[in-house]
Amino acid sequence: VVYLRGGSGGLMLQNGDGTSAHLLNSSGDQIFEVGSSEKMRLTSTGVGIGTSSPQEKLHIFGNANEDVKLEIENDFAGKNSVLLLNSGLNGDSIIHFAENNTVRGIITYDGGTDILKIINSGSTSTAHIAIDTSGNTTLSGSLTGTTATFSGQVTIPATPVASTDAASKSYVDAQVGSADTLQEVTDNG
């Protein structure tokens, strides 16, 4: 049995035992209930799952002691599941990683420069890893640990700027002279 009820508060479509309902309230929101509990709301702003006041076109919210997950699944052999971020011409496609409403890390594709950037500070001013369309990669910060393995050519700036910058052999030779021109200096002091 399905009940259809209306009035000044809106319109409700409800199953016989009242545990599931679809409501259209007086403000135009569409509310979907399961087990007498609101599960989703469609407002003029967007769709809210777990929230009655979505802040974006799709807003998924959880406040229970469990993970909030978005699953995109394709169970057909040999086919992919794809998350597509499609910006306008020269626009950026961005994924923010936030903790307690503070952005901590960013993956962005800069449409203006065609560079993929990985940033670990929450600020778009400095990319920690930047990869251009030719595969050229720029790392900023320090490499730590005992080894770093690179495939391909590694370019070291011609002139180091900071005391922690690497120096090429040609730079060092130019500063101290080649082995052929070095002179022994004795301190008799």
Side-chain angles (χ1 to χ4, degrees):
V1 176
V2 175
Y3 295 100
L4 180 62
R5 294 185 275 187
S8 62
L11 180 67
M12 180 186 329
L13 179 64
Q14 187 175 44
N15 67 350
D17 64 4
T19 58
S20 297
H22 177 183
L23 296 93
L24 178 61
N25 68 16
S26 58
S27 65
D29 293 356
Q30 293 189 42
I31 304 165
F32 300 86
E33 291 183 351
V34 177
S36 301
S37 174
E38 182 177 324
K39 300 298 181 189
M40 184 171 72
R41 182 179 291 233
L42 176 62
T43 70
S44 60
T45 302
V47 175
I49 300 174
T51 178
S52 60
S53 55
Q55 303 299 306
E56 302 292 341
K57 290 191 182 291
L58 176 61
H59 184 166
I60 302 172
F61 178 80
N63 65 354
N65 187 17
E66 58 188 40
D67 295 337
V68 176
K69 300 176 186 176
L70 173 64
E71 182 173 341
I72 301 172
E73 181 178 0
N74 183 348
D75 196 24
F76 194 84
K79 295 299 175 185
N80 303 317
S81 293
V82 177
L83 175 62
L84 176 64
L85 303 178
N86 189 359
S87 63
L89 181 64
N90 293 324
D92 297 348
S93 294
I94 303 168
I95 300 173
H96 284 184
F97 299 91
E99 177 185 28
N100 198 28
N101 294 319
T102 300
V103 175
R104 301 291 188 187
I106 301 169
I107 298 175
T108 184
Y109 184 81
D110 185 327
T113 60
D114 289 331
I115 294 177
L116 177 67
K117 301 173 183 178
I118 300 174
I119 303 159
N120 193 28
S121 65
S123 167
T124 57
S125 61
T126 302
H128 294 99
I129 300 173
I131 305 168
D132 70 17
T133 55
S134 299
N136 297 319
T137 304
T138 303
L139 303 173
S140 65
S142 300
L143 292 175
T144 58
T146 56
T147 60
T149 303
F150 298 94
S151 175
Q153 182 177 348
V154 175
T155 303
I156 298 173
T159 305
V161 177
S163 62
T164 56
D165 286 352
S168 66
K169 180 182 181 310
S170 60
Y171 176 81
V172 172
D173 286 349
Q175 298 304 307
V176 297
S178 68
D180 295 337
T181 61
L182 288 179
Q183 297 179 4
E184 184 175 337
V185 176
T186 305
D187 183 6
N188 294 326

